[in-house]
Amino acid sequence: MAQLWKGRFKKELAKETNDFNSSIKFDSRMYAQDIQGSIAHATMLGAAGIIDQSESNKIVQCLSEIYNDIKNGSLNIDMEAEDIHTFIEGELTARLGQTGKRLHTARSRNDQVALDIRLVLKNEIDEITDKIKELIRVICNKADENKETIMPGYTHLQRAQPITFGHHLMAYAAMLCRDLDRLKDVKRRMNVCPLGSGALAGTTYPLDRNMVAELLGFDDISANSLDGVSDRDFCIELAAALSLIMVHLSRFSEEIIMWCSWEFKFVELDDAFSTGSSIMPQKKNPDIAELVRGKSGRVFGDLTTLLTVMKGIALAYNKDMQEDKEAVFDAVDTVKMCLNAFTPMIDTMTVIKENMRNAAAKGFINATDCADYLVSKGLPFRDAYKATGELVAICIDKGLTLETLPIEEYKAICDLFDKEVYTAINLEKCVNDRLVAGGPSAGSVEKQIEKAMSIIK
Ligand code: ARG
């Protein structure tokens, strides 16, 4: 496939150079957006009288045909081409002759590629947004089914205070709601049309940049031509937002993995979302959660790649920037793949409520409530804390829990105790008294669910 820039060269490009230089293997996925951008550009060139209206019409018509032909498989993208821009323009010229050669008037591949990536990533953001909304919906459903499922809440992975599984799940919904907001923010700043920046210095043609921006659904045009072609902040911002999504999915995965272990057995994954071992017949492994946790590293790596590519580039376009696409597309594809597997895994997982309840009964997670009981009887909190600590030590010594420790033992430590203490340390009561907004009581979790559902509506 011929290069677009042959004029001043006397020799053919070495095969090794073409293989190294070419981006077609990873930018061919932008063919639809490349054509969409060219259609807008050609339309504007015609409307502004920069090329004949009849030629503009022919170009637009032919570009639509090329789009359909690629889409339905009757035209294959040539993997020897330098990039997708070269391929489409070459095909247009092959079909239209001289007229096809007018498309690139007042345009450079530098502003063209800056446009294409934005168009592609805007779509990808919409797709990822929908997938995250679906995960939030699934989490809200599970949380609603489990707003009374008592489990231990942990700090330092030590049993700490009673919560419900619904409350625990809604923590992830809160993270994912922030992710949605971040994606929206990234898209807003990305939504600026660079076309008209030319190679770097704009153009002498009387372009109507706003018309192109409007045709392509952008909010604005880029403010400076040098920045227009060499800005990749939006790739970095997106990779950063995707990295945080992966942090959240990875933490969630880590918990799923623990909860599936025999040591916890809080949940059981559906057979369709687990795998076995080739040697150990008893095994049922949470591979999906492990892979999601593992794949987070790829996305962080993509972010690092983008930051490193951009940090030392003098204005304006440099070929280093071609490295943007593989990194940002990998981050996008990885997040989409993870969400595709993760969401149905959560949706189909079985919650083993008795095991959560049993774990909650054993870890003295109502000790704070026991101390609060003494506070309600007039004891200062520090003294109440110390008395309860002594009770816990006695329980551990005797193999008892606060629920099973006889009242005489309580009274021996502090004479403010009476039988009501057993009501005060009842786990259901401990949870349901935590009425505070954002807390674990069923009513509070219901409000959290309502809020998350209103965000994804
Ligand atoms: N394939 C190139 C890229 O992705 C397109 C822009 C080429 N521009 C140039 N001046 N060589 O960045």
Side-chain angles (χ1 to χ4, degrees), residues 394-415:
I394 293 170
C395 287
I396 292 171
D397 219 34
K398 304 197 165 176
L400 296 171
T401 63
L402 288 173
E403 288 89 334
T404 53
L405 188 71
I407 191 66
E408 298 72 44
E409 302 273 4
Y410 276 95
K411 286 189 189 285
I413 294 289
C414 176
D415 57 11

Side-chain angles (χ1 to χ4, degrees), residues 81-380:
E82 186 177 338
D83 53 34
I84 191 62
H85 328 295
T86 309
F87 174 75
I88 303 283
E89 195 185 325
E91 185 62 28
L92 184 77
T93 303
R95 295 187 186 196
L96 288 185
Q98 290 302 107
T99 300
K101 296 184 187 166
R102 298 201 192 279
L103 169 64
H104 213 52
T105 314
R107 191 176 67 168
S108 157
R109 276 184 299 164
N110 296 351
D111 55 355
Q112 188 177 357
V113 72
L115 170 77
D116 292 2
I117 315 171
R118 283 173 159 88
L119 289 172
V120 171
L121 294 182
K122 283 205 289 171
N123 285 342
E124 298 288 8
I125 288 176
D126 290 346
E127 272 187 42
I128 293 171
T129 297
D130 287 346
K131 288 182 195 296
I132 291 179
K133 285 183 175 174
E134 176 60 13
L135 176 55
I136 294 173
R137 200 187 56 72
V138 161
I139 290 173
C140 286
N141 281 345
K142 273 265 173 299
D144 193 51
E145 289 162 21
N146 288 284
K147 53 182 190 268
E148 267 145 31
T149 308
I150 306 273
M151 73 178 278
Y154 296 82
T155 63
H156 313 269
L157 203 51
Q158 302 289 319
R159 290 171 189 160
Q161 291 184 333
I163 56 169
T164 64
F165 190 53
H167 185 228
H168 194 113
L169 286 174
M170 287 312 290
Y172 287 104
M175 296 175 222
L176 293 163
C177 285
R178 286 197 296 279
D179 290 325
L180 286 180
D181 201 40
R182 254 186 293 274
L183 287 175
K184 199 168 148 195
D185 198 41
V186 171
K187 187 174 169 188
R188 183 175 59 78
R189 259 190 302 280
M190 182 187 290
N191 207 11
V192 164
C193 185
L195 226 53
S197 301
L200 76 161
T203 168
T204 55
Y205 293 95
L207 299 186
D208 186 348
R209 292 192 61 198
N210 289 308
M211 177 184 175
V212 178
E214 214 168 288
L215 286 172
L216 293 171
F218 285 101
D219 293 334
D220 206 351
I221 57 173
S222 55
N224 174 286
S225 61
L226 294 161
D227 184 51
V229 290
S230 67
D231 166 31
R232 294 294 182 272
D233 289 3
F234 59 94
C235 295
I236 295 174
E237 283 191 57
L238 178 56
L242 296 176
S243 292
L244 264 174
I245 293 170
M246 289 306 294
V247 168
H248 300 150
L249 294 183
S250 182
R251 292 181 75 179
F252 204 166
S253 295
E254 168 67 12
E255 299 213 276
I256 304 275
I257 293 160
M258 286 192 307
W259 293 337
C260 283
S261 71
W262 284 106
E263 283 68 19
F264 279 82
K265 262 293 168 256
F266 284 2
V267 300
E268 170 127 18
L269 297 180
D270 191 85
D271 281 1
F273 296 94
S274 326
T275 52
S277 156
S278 57
I279 177 170
M280 297 168 282
Q282 84 283 13
K283 289 296 284 293
K284 180 168 173 184
N285 297 328
D287 283 29
I288 291 185
E290 290 168 29
L291 256 182
V292 169
R293 187 177 58 181
K295 280 184 188 290
S296 60
R298 294 176 70 110
V299 180
F300 309 158
D302 293 326
L303 172 60
T304 306
T305 298
L306 289 164
L307 288 166
T308 312
V309 163
M310 293 308 294
K311 79 177 177 64
I313 296 185
L315 296 182
Y317 178 86
N318 294 255
K319 190 75 170 200
D320 319 37
M321 290 163 65
Q322 179 165 289
E323 289 289 305
D324 60 357
K325 281 170 283 301
E326 278 172 294
V328 79
F329 292 160
D330 181 70
V332 159
D333 294 343
T334 303
V335 167
K336 280 176 18 185
M337 231 187 350
C338 288
L339 286 166
N340 286 347
F342 194 83
T343 301
M345 178 186 78
I346 299 294
D347 197 22
T348 54
M349 108 190 147
T350 307
V351 180
I352 308 174
K353 299 184 183 186
E354 324 77 85
N355 290 351
M356 291 188 180
R357 185 68 178 72
N358 290 340
K362 284 185 199 135
F364 302 103
I365 62 180
N366 43 7
T368 313
D369 301 86
C370 181
D372 284 343
Y373 169 81
L374 288 178
V375 171
S376 77
K377 298 271 169 181
L379 204 63

Side-chain angles (χ1 to χ4, degrees), residues 1 3 5 13-28 78-84 86 109 319 322-323 325-326:
M1 156 74 65
Q3 282 76 37
W5 35 263
L13 190 64
K15 177 163 180 353
E16 294 82 350
T17 310
N18 191 48
D19 290 347
F20 185 62
N21 191 52
S22 163
S23 53
I24 192 84
K25 288 192 181 65
F26 45 86
D27 66 18
S28 55
D78 175 7
M79 285 298 144
E80 293 303 306
E82 186 177 338
D83 53 34
I84 191 62
T86 309
R109 276 184 299 164
K319 190 75 170 200
Q322 179 165 289
E323 289 289 305
K325 281 170 283 301
E326 278 172 294

